[in-house]
Amino acid sequence: MRRTNSRQATGRGTARRRWGHISGGLILTLAGTLGTAVPAAAPATGQAAGPTAPAPGPVRQGTDEDGPDTARRSESECNLSTGPYQKDVERHLGLVVDGKQSAADCAAIQTFQREHDVVPAQGYAGLYTYRAVMWRQALAEGDAVRGCPDTSGVVVCIDMNRQVLWVEDAGTILFRPVPARTGSPDYPTRSGWFEIYKREKEFWSTLYDGPMPFAQFFDGGQALHASYRNIWEDPGSHGCVNLRYDDGKTLWDVLRLGDAVYVWGRRTGG
């Protein structure tokens, strides 16, 4: 049975829960880049934890993020093509919202991409950049972050629409929103109510022959765990919920066996 006692002051009330059944699942292989942690009870902006594992730089691959003619551009060269999320990115960055790329737009988007490890950082308003925007917007919502039902205790909230994860305790944010990568269309993360039923700090996937640091299983083989890949990139996972390494490490200290997990929405992209 899961714990129902709140770890903080009583929040906004309770809600009836529908618990998912634990079933067989798939486990993800990891490779990629180190992220930046948002501590569990952090103030408004996250602080980066010290390096905890060696990792290469951002993975470079051809994607929708690249835009036209990216292969002929250097990493620092601006891409003046209008991206599919141009207006959304312009609005978030306080630019003129006209849906048309300009040199000034490109420079501002490049700066945002570099600050958030979006690769390639060429100023193109593609899906990876939009995912970073959605995370920053969720972070800015504070305790009003939307989507997770009110409960009487701890619940891990996984919004697959925005690709973000946070933890609430009786309606109060216990772990601020962080970027997440859920399952690809071929291996979707299952939605519904679950519980953390197994935790293993140094789990190794025999199915995919790869590490799953700070693995916290909630539905068969599907787990919350740290990843060495760039968090924004496709493809999605094999059903697990990937986190940046330091976020996964911090989350390990926040959760316990029996904590609730609520998953909803649908991942956009691969």
Side-chain angles (χ1 to χ4, degrees):
M1 298 292 292
R2 73 173 301 273
R3 293 175 296 102
T4 57
N5 293 332
S6 170
R7 293 187 203 158
Q8 295 186 351
T10 302
R12 298 187 294 258
T14 61
R16 183 175 300 171
R17 297 183 177 183
R18 177 174 57 83
W19 299 102
H21 295 288
I22 302 301
S23 60
L26 296 172
I27 304 174
L28 175 67
T29 300
L30 309 168
T33 189
L34 181 65
T36 303
V38 177
T45 57
Q47 298 280 329
T52 51
V59 176
R60 178 70 177 88
Q61 61 182 32
T63 67
D64 288 342
E65 191 68 21
D66 296 342
D69 302 323
T70 294
R72 294 195 290 271
R73 300 177 187 276
S74 69
E75 188 67 22
S76 61
E77 186 180 356
C78 250
N79 186 333
L80 294 178
S81 301
T82 296
Y85 298 95
Q86 189 75 33
K87 286 187 176 180
D88 298 283
V89 177
E90 288 171 343
R91 186 175 296 108
H92 177 73
L93 296 180
L95 304 172
V96 175
V97 183
D98 58 7
K100 298 177 181 179
Q101 181 78 309
S102 68
D105 290 345
C106 191
I109 296 170
Q110 267 191 317
T111 298
F112 177 83
Q113 290 170 334
R114 288 168 180 156
E115 289 173 348
H116 295 85
D117 295 324
V118 177
V119 180
Q122 295 181 339
Y124 182 73
L127 179 58
Y128 298 179
T129 303
Y130 181 58
R131 286 173 180 159
V133 165
M134 288 192 291
W135 165 55
R136 293 301 306 183
Q137 291 173 344
L139 191 60
E141 291 172 8
D143 283 352
V145 62
R146 64 190 185 278
C148 217
D150 290 347
T151 68
S152 60
V154 175
V155 56
V156 183
C157 306
I158 302 170
D159 182 349
M160 292 194 288
N161 295 322
R162 294 193 286 179
Q163 293 292 283
V164 294
L165 173 151
W166 68 92
V167 181
E168 294 184 7
D169 182 358
T172 299
I173 300 302
L174 187 64
F175 180 81
R176 298 184 68 80
V178 296
R181 176 174 44 244
T182 59
S184 69
D186 291 335
Y187 304 99
T189 302
R190 291 179 282 276
S191 60
W193 282 103
F194 309 96
E195 288 186 354
I196 301 294
Y197 75 90
K198 176 182 177 181
R199 284 162 38 97
E200 195 162 333
K201 186 177 276 189
E202 298 180 359
F203 188 82
W204 185 269
S205 167
T206 55
L207 180 59
Y208 293 101
D209 193 28
M212 293 172 57
F214 308 106
Q216 304 192 70
F217 292 88
F218 62 90
D219 184 23
Q222 296 192 349
L224 318 171
H225 66 81
S227 171
Y228 298 113
R229 287 176 55 199
N230 186 298
I231 196 63
W232 314 114
E233 71 178 15
D234 287 332
S237 75
H238 286 85
C240 288
V241 179
N242 294 174
L243 303 168
R244 297 177 299 188
Y245 188 91
D246 284 347
D247 292 341
K249 182 175 184 286
T250 302
L251 187 63
W252 176 268
D253 294 327
V254 174
L255 300 179
R256 304 173 188 171
L257 288 174
D259 280 339
V261 177
Y262 181 63
V263 186
W264 75 96
R266 180 176 177 271
R267 174 182 171 87
T268 299

